[in-house]
Amino acid sequence: MPAFFPDVLDDFLSPVFLEKVRKKFHYDETQIHEFQAVAEEMLPLMREEAIWEKSVYSSENKHQSESCSVIYEQVVMSLGNGIDCLQERYSEREMLSHSYMIEVLAGEFLLQGYAAYNCYIQKNTDWHVAKYHFLGSEENFPLEMLPELLKTLTPLITCNSSFCMLPKKSVAFIAELTQDDKVRCRGICVDCSNLNCSGRMAEGSLAWKRVPVMTDMQLTYGYGRIFGLF
């Protein structure tokens, strides 16, 4: 099973990344040292435990185009149990500010993982990502398929009867891959069918016009739901 994307791990403590996250979540400049200290505690845990895994996705429904120009992969990413334990220790000591710093740093780190996956597919295959499909957001990909998806990919990530993933800082999705150069992934929330989500990114919406690339987005409640943070 592959460790997490090395470039994303190597960038985690960079001043550019930390400053970007600090500003995005409106932390004061006086908190930068505290912010960096939390990140420094997180990185060794993620280097040891953060993983991702993928495999070809197929089902009776096929979800394939007649031209066979589209294939699907099932993918999971996880930061591991160490990050959950660190966050719990902060909470037990009533260090709520530190606990929330883990939340935002972990969310931004996973968000970088989507971009890294895009690059990996394009670099190592003849395909590229056209779209992400999240379980429970579409009829063809019900949330109930999550346990079997996890079982197929790795024993290190599980979910409970309410489909909450463990470790908590984990994501699972179906990636739609294509060889059509005119079709490119425009962001993880583009074309989501949930009209009530505050993070909706339908093309032409105000949110879509504001955000040129997905990695510049602040995690709204809608993004948090995708990442399992709320």
Side-chain angles (χ1 to χ4, degrees):
M1 176 172 298
F4 209 82
F5 304 100
D7 291 348
V8 181
L9 284 164
D10 292 343
D11 188 56
F12 186 67
L13 290 182
S14 71
V16 173
F17 176 75
L18 293 179
E19 183 67 4
K20 176 182 176 181
V21 180
R22 182 191 70 80
K23 289 181 177 180
K24 181 179 290 189
F25 291 91
H26 309 293
Y27 283 98
D28 191 85
E29 290 185 6
T30 59
Q31 296 178 282
I32 185 59
H33 296 299
E34 180 183 8
F35 202 67
Q36 181 170 351
V38 171
E40 288 175 350
E41 287 197 74
M42 294 174 65
L43 183 58
L45 300 173
M46 295 191 299
R47 285 198 183 278
E48 182 176 352
E49 297 185 359
I51 58 170
W52 75 284
E53 186 61 276
K54 69 181 183 70
S55 69
V56 174
Y57 171 72
S58 61
S59 73
E60 294 180 357
N61 293 329
K62 303 281 184 201
H63 303 305
Q64 306 284 352
S65 69
E66 293 181 359
S67 64
C68 297
S69 61
V70 174
I71 62 173
Y72 292 80
E73 283 194 340
Q74 50 190 8
V75 186
V76 292
M77 301 179 188
S78 177
L79 303 191
N81 289 307
I83 296 298
D84 289 350
C85 293
L86 178 61
Q87 191 171 35
E88 288 174 7
R89 289 198 297 273
Y90 282 149
S91 297
E92 289 170 357
R93 294 158 61 185
E94 297 186 355
M95 301 172 67
L96 300 185
S97 175
H98 285 63
S99 179
Y100 187 67
M101 286 178 180
I102 287 182
E103 204 71 47
V104 299
L105 284 165
E108 287 297 301
F109 183 83
L110 284 171
L111 195 60
Q112 296 294 324
Y114 288 94
Y117 171 76
N118 279 23
C119 292
Y120 175 90
I121 293 298
Q122 185 159 332
K123 181 179 179 180
N124 294 280
T125 75
D126 296 327
W127 304 81
H128 56 266
V129 179
K131 189 176 181 181
Y132 288 103
H133 301 272
F134 294 95
L135 307 188
S137 65
E138 303 174 41
E139 182 179 354
N140 287 334
F141 302 101
L143 189 57
E144 288 76 13
M145 67 181 282
L146 179 60
E148 187 62 29
L149 182 151
L150 296 177
K151 182 179 178 180
T152 300
L153 286 171
T154 174
L156 300 178
I157 308 173
T158 61
C159 68
N160 60 24
S161 59
S162 299
F163 306 110
C164 295
M165 297 173 67
L166 298 171
K168 296 178 181 177
K169 304 299 184 287
S170 303
V171 294
F173 56 90
I174 305 295
E176 180 180 328
L177 308 182
T178 182
Q179 293 178 321
D180 186 348
D181 288 336
K182 297 188 295 295
V183 181
R184 296 278 173 175
C185 175
R186 297 165 295 169
I188 61 174
C189 285
V190 175
D191 298 328
C192 173
S193 60
N194 184 358
L195 299 177
N196 296 317
C197 177
S198 60
R200 179 167 171 74
M201 291 294 293
E203 185 173 8
S205 68
L206 179 59
W208 167 257
K209 294 175 182 178
R210 286 176 178 170
V211 185
V213 292
M214 69 179 184
T215 51
D216 287 336
M217 292 177 58
Q218 180 172 344
L219 287 176
T220 62
Y221 179 79
Y223 273 79
R225 289 293 294 173
I226 288 174
F227 291 136
L229 303 180
F230 301 106

